[in-house]
């Protein structure tokens, strides 16, 4: 019978037994509820081996691509190494570049000592002694350095350091990547709505370029919202990106994003949405676009939770 | 004779119903407040589990699960009128999908069978 590795321990699986049952029988407590592969309470992630297809039914493409599966219906046919959705790698990183993108936003580029495979749009957590903050990745995996857009927050410890004392060559640890807010191509012609406020642009800056690199042909609407004109950054880069790709429409706006987006009458049923930034805004966009017809499984979001709360957000 | 779940179309039918049903729930002023502060994706997954159950499909909730899962809503005032609203929206969803009336009634019966557990009334029928 196959074996599973979890938390550094090996667990045997009896014939017909699910991963959840095997873990429970051997003394591990795993959150669960329906035991029928529906409610997703028992979501786990496989880092080595292929989870059974049956255990990925009903998950989003992006979750499948990362090895997520439902442990209550997973009857493995091969050895698997598994963990909880929030488990992630840690690597050492060094600051390669610090460049101001606006009065309040710093472009931070990091190089890592070891490879950190990621999808454009995911996020990592920066760790310094006694301090951890999550930032979304704005670069593409094939670029040499990881890129982040860090907004200076009043009294913020990590952002204060990056905007003030930090220098090229300084080191920190990063943990990740996490998040399912990234591009996967099922239909290259599907229209995409990308909307973010403030540094919510960071993951979208990665996602839009990743989609184009993968040959996306459908319309891509990119909305970047801010409270004032200083909050908009990378405007020239995005204008030229839109100019060289006719399928891309770039809308920097000072109007609240839900009004800007839902002002025009549009049938959102065929669309996929990516919403990033402040949680209140992200929740409003998710709800309004869902009610306007966008299917739930086509909605991807990255809500920037305040200080260190982020790793708890599984999806 | 095929089971209710088979007649309704199984898992693909649940997928078709879940967004329609959840949109109705979010927009119904009688019950939307119970769904205001929850993560939408997790909530949609729970709606899916609920629909699978009332379609007569494979969802293994016990009476105790139902009690635990709704206790916090009962303490916020969840009562029969809200369950009635859910059953009504369920019926509208199925009507939109062209499900025959007899099957809609059977679904409503299944939904009503967990009413006492959802509302934490009496003793759990099947713990």
């Amino acid at each position: 019978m196959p074996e599973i590795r979890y938390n550094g321990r090996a667990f045997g699986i009896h014939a017909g037994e699910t991963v959840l049952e095997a873990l429970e029988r051997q003394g591990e407590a795993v959150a669960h509820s329906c035991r029928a592969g529906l409610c997703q309470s028992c979501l786990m992630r496989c880092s080595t081996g292929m989870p059974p297809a049956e255990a990925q039914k009903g998950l989003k493409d992006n979750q499948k691509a990362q090895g997520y599966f439902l442990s209550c219906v997973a009857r493995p046919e091969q050895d698997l190494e598994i963990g909880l959705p929030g488990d992630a790698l840690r690597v050492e990183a060094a600051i390669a570049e610090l460049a101001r993108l606006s009065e309040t936003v710093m472009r931070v580029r990091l190089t890592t000592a070891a490879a950190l495979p990621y999808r454009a749009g995911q996020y990592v957590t920066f760790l310094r002694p006694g301090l951890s903050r999550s930032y979304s990745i704005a670069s593409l995996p094939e670029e040499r350095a990881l890129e982040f857009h860090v907004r200076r927050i009043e009294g913020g410890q990590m952002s204060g350091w990056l905007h003030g004392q930090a220098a090229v060559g300084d080191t920190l640890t990063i943990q990740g990547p996490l998040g399912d807010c990234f591009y996967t191509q099922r239909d290259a012609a599907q229209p995409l709505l990308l909307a973010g406020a403030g540094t919510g642009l960071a993951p979208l800056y990665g996602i839009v370029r990743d989609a184009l690199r993968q040959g996306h042909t459908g319309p891509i609407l990119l909305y970047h919202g801010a409270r004032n004109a200083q909050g908009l950054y990378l405007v020239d880069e995005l204008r030229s990106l839109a100019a060289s790709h006719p399928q891309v429409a770039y809308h920097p706006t000072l109007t609240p994003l839900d009004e800007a987006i839902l002002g025009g009458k549009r049938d959102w049923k065929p669309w996929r949405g990516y919403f990033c930034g402040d949680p209140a805004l992200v929740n409003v966009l998710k709800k309004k676009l869902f009610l306007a017809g966008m299917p739930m499984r086509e909605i991807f979001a990255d809500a920037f939770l305040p200080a260190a709360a982020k790793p708890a957000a599984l999806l | 004779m095929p089971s209710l779940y088979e007649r309704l179309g199984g898992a693909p039918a649940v997928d078709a119903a879940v967004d329609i049903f959840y949109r109705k729930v979010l927009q119904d002023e009688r019950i939307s407040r119970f769904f205001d502060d929850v993560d939408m994706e997790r909530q949609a997954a729970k709606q899916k589990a609920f629909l699978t159950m009332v379609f007569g499909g494979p969802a293994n909730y016990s009476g105790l699960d139902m009690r635990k899962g709704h206790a916090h809503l009962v303490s916020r005032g969840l009562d029969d009128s809200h369950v009635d609203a859910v059953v009504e929206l369920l019926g509208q969803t199925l009507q939109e999908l062209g499900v025959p009336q007899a099957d809609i009634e059977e679904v409503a019966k299944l939904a009503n069978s967990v009413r006492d557990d959802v509302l934490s009334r009496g003793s759990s029928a099947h713990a």
Side-chain angles (χ1 to χ4, degrees):
Chain A
M1 286 307 291
E3 194 179 81
I4 46 179
R5 290 199 69 80
Y6 172 63
N7 271 345
R9 240 182 92 193
F11 293 85
I13 294 199
H14 293 165
E17 200 174 37
T18 66
V19 168
L20 176 62
E21 287 161 352
L23 290 174
E24 287 182 321
R25 177 172 53 76
Q26 290 162 90
E28 291 287 334
V30 176
H32 65 274
S33 180
C34 77
R35 291 187 183 271
L38 298 163
C39 74
Q40 304 191 6
S41 302
C42 68
L43 189 70
M44 296 187 86
R45 187 177 172 187
C46 179
S47 53
T48 311
M50 275 288 287
E54 181 67 25
Q56 292 191 308
K57 270 193 193 157
L59 297 183
K60 290 182 169 184
D61 294 348
N62 292 13
Q63 293 175 308
K64 293 181 190 173
Q66 295 177 89
Y68 285 105
F69 68 97
L70 300 170
S71 58
C72 74
V73 288
R75 295 181 175 82
E77 282 146 24
Q78 52 171 277
D79 290 354
L80 300 178
E81 186 162 348
I82 62 172
L84 295 175
D87 296 348
L89 282 176
R90 277 184 184 210
V91 298
E92 294 308 306
I95 298 177
E97 185 189 330
L98 292 164
R100 224 167 260 290
L101 291 171
S102 79
E103 243 172 76
T104 53
V105 178
M106 183 78 82
R107 171 183 263 158
V108 177
R109 286 201 163 109
L110 302 179
T111 50
T112 53
L116 183 78
Y118 70 89
R119 310 279 188 132
Q122 289 191 295
Y123 64 89
V124 301
T125 302
F126 288 19
L127 303 170
R128 300 195 71 225
L131 194 56
S132 70
R133 296 288 183 273
S134 297
Y135 296 100
S136 291
I137 307 171
S139 49
L140 302 181
E142 65 268 27
E143 290 170 349
R144 202 183 55 83
L146 292 158
E147 174 176 334
F148 305 89
H149 302 160
V150 178
R151 184 167 68 92
R152 191 180 61 229
I153 291 173
E154 200 65 43
Q157 296 182 65
M158 189 70 80
S159 69
W161 178 66
L162 289 164
H163 277 261
Q165 303 83 16
V168 169
D170 285 354
T171 58
L172 67 159
T173 303
I174 59 176
Q175 177 175 305
L178 288 172
D180 76 344
C181 197
F182 57 81
Y183 179 79
T184 46
Q185 190 169 88
R186 192 179 33 182
D187 172 9
Q190 184 178 24
L192 307 179
L193 170 65
L194 280 53
T199 49
L201 178 66
L204 302 178
Y205 185 62
I207 292 166
V208 63
R209 293 181 302 135
D210 191 32
L212 293 170
R213 187 186 57 100
Q214 292 191 45
H216 193 83
T217 56
I220 304 177
L221 276 185
L222 171 59
Y223 279 89
H224 185 205
R227 279 191 215 100
N228 51 48
Q230 291 81 49
L232 298 172
Y233 62 91
L234 289 177
V235 174
D236 293 342
E237 286 87 340
L238 289 168
R239 286 219 170 103
S240 80
L241 185 80
S244 55
H245 296 87
Q247 69 272 52
V248 177
Y250 165 55
H251 301 287
T253 179
L254 304 181
T255 306
L257 282 173
D258 53 325
E259 289 173 32
I261 292 166
L262 291 154
K265 293 234 180 303
R266 203 187 273 279
D267 176 14
W268 294 103
K269 277 193 199 74
W271 288 70
R272 168 174 285 195
Y274 294 92
F275 309 129
C276 306
D278 172 66
L281 170 81
V282 165
N283 287 335
V284 164
L285 290 175
K286 278 167 82 166
K287 187 166 170 178
K288 289 198 172 174
L289 269 301
F290 174 62
L291 292 178
M294 194 179 278
M296 180 64 70
R297 61 186 307 129
E298 297 293 341
I299 296 177
F300 297 91
D302 183 8
F304 294 3
L305 300 183
K310 203 156 184 177
L314 306 183
L315 299 176
Chain B
M1 182 166 156
S3 72
L4 175 67
Y5 188 62
E6 285 162 359
R7 287 201 305 279
L8 291 172
V14 173
D15 285 338
V18 69
D19 275 10
I20 300 173
F21 176 65
Y22 189 24
R23 279 190 195 107
K24 289 185 190 298
V25 166
L26 284 175
Q27 291 177 101
D28 190 298
E29 57 190 30
R30 292 170 295 177
I31 53 174
S32 61
R33 68 183 173 98
F34 293 109
F35 300 89
D36 267 354
D37 57 350
V38 293
D39 180 286
M40 284 182 70
E41 280 156 300
R42 284 191 213 182
Q43 186 56 234
K46 285 184 186 161
Q47 307 275 1
K48 196 171 162 179
F50 168 70
L51 290 179
T52 303
M53 179 185 76
V54 299
F55 281 20
N60 306 321
Y61 284 112
S62 67
L64 196 60
D65 291 333
M66 282 288 150
R67 280 167 191 259
K68 278 191 195 153
H70 295 89
H72 65 294
L73 299 178
V74 172
S75 69
R76 281 171 56 196
L78 188 78
D79 64 24
D80 277 306
S81 71
H82 306 114
V83 176
D84 290 343
V86 165
V87 173
E88 180 189 318
L89 299 179
L90 188 56
Q92 286 175 14
T93 302
L94 294 172
Q95 256 163 18
E96 278 178 36
L97 291 168
V99 172
Q101 196 56 37
D103 286 343
I104 294 178
E105 278 162 26
E106 207 172 324
V107 168
K109 207 181 288 175
L110 277 169
N112 278 314
S113 72
V114 296
R115 181 184 288 259
D116 284 349
D117 283 324
V118 164
L119 296 176
S120 289
R121 270 196 309 235
S123 57
S124 182
H126 40 98

